[in-house]
Amino acid sequence: TMTAGNKNRRGLTLLELIVALTIALITIAVSTTTMGKAYRENNLYNQLRSVKSSYTRARSKAMEFTQPVKFSVNPDDSTLLAIRDPSRTGDFEDTATVQLVVGLDVSNGVAPNYSGVVVAAEGYAIPTLPHWSKLADLGDVQRFPNNEFIIHPDGRILDPDTMQTTSGTFYYRTDPRGWVGAVHITAMGEIKMAVIQDDADSTGDSDDWIWKD
């Protein structure tokens, strides 16, 4: 027969098991969320570095061949394309004359290398990105119009419409949301990268941007 003491011990053991199982499930859930966020952040940063690498290659080719290179990011499918103009006429629409620098072919760019990372479209809410130098009088950095620019053979960055020196930024984000990253290119061709948290825990404050090398 089972005594009252045995019943109490059995009940306590079952309660302990339930508590332990609950704690384990909570721990797993928290760990999974944390790991997922870290994974997305890592993929985003790697994608920014991939864009930096592609841009560096494109700029190098522009200077090596003394030919302008058009560098663009398609916001619809997040593909990246860089093509050079051997004729030096500035006509990048003539696929018979342009030559591929980065992409699948002269009309199709390459997709992001890392899963869960897409271009942040124009309407996506992004905290204002202060100038990387932190000098207030230089204002905030802006997107590249139409997500494209031209690299002059001397390394400067030009607006395709005005052919004037310019600077700008490409924005990427994780999907699902969690982080936003920026690739900023100065008028003289220098490249900077920044990231900011983009979820329920973030403040949406422009001061939260972190500039990275």
Side-chain angles (χ1 to χ4, degrees), residues 16-179:
E16 289 175 338
L17 180 60
I18 293 173
V19 170
L21 183 59
T22 301
I23 293 174
L25 291 175
I26 293 174
T27 302
I28 291 172
V30 172
S31 297
T32 301
T33 301
T34 302
M35 289 176 63
K37 183 183 292 186
Y39 174 77
R40 292 193 295 273
E41 180 189 15
N42 186 63
N43 272 9
L44 175 66
Y45 187 43
N46 283 335
Q47 180 59 35
L48 299 184
R49 289 192 292 187
S50 178
V51 175
K52 178 180 180 179
S53 176
S54 295
Y55 162 74
T56 300
R57 172 178 170 79
R59 186 169 186 261
S60 174
K61 291 298 181 181
M63 300 175 77
E64 176 185 352
F65 291 98
T66 62
Q67 298 168 358
V69 171
K70 184 178 181 180
F71 193 95
S72 61
V73 174
N74 189 326
D76 295 328
D77 57 13
S78 301
T79 54
L80 185 155
L81 178 67
I83 50 179
R84 59 187 174 91
D85 174 26
S87 67
R88 300 180 177 85
T89 62
D91 182 7
F92 290 94
E93 303 302 321
D94 187 354
T95 57
T97 60
V98 297
Q99 295 187 14
L100 182 68
V101 177
V102 178
L104 298 179
D105 56 51
V106 295
S107 300
N108 298 284
V110 61
N113 296 328
Y114 299 91
S115 63
V117 179
V118 297
V119 172
E122 188 75 33
Y124 191 83
I126 298 174
T128 302
L129 177 57
H131 193 271
W132 59 271
S133 67
K134 303 296 184 182
L135 297 176
D137 58 339
L138 292 179
D140 304 321
V141 302
Q142 305 296 322
R143 291 176 181 266
F144 279 112
N146 301 317
N147 282 313
E148 62 183 17
F149 59 85
I150 291 176
I151 307 172
H152 190 276
D154 66 9
R156 290 180 296 126
I157 305 303
L158 306 179
D159 183 310
D161 294 327
T162 66
M163 295 305 289
Q164 298 297 309
T165 304
T166 189
S167 63
T169 308
F170 296 123
Y171 289 99
Y172 284 82
R173 66 178 180 87
T174 57
D175 184 22
R177 66 183 298 173
W179 294 89

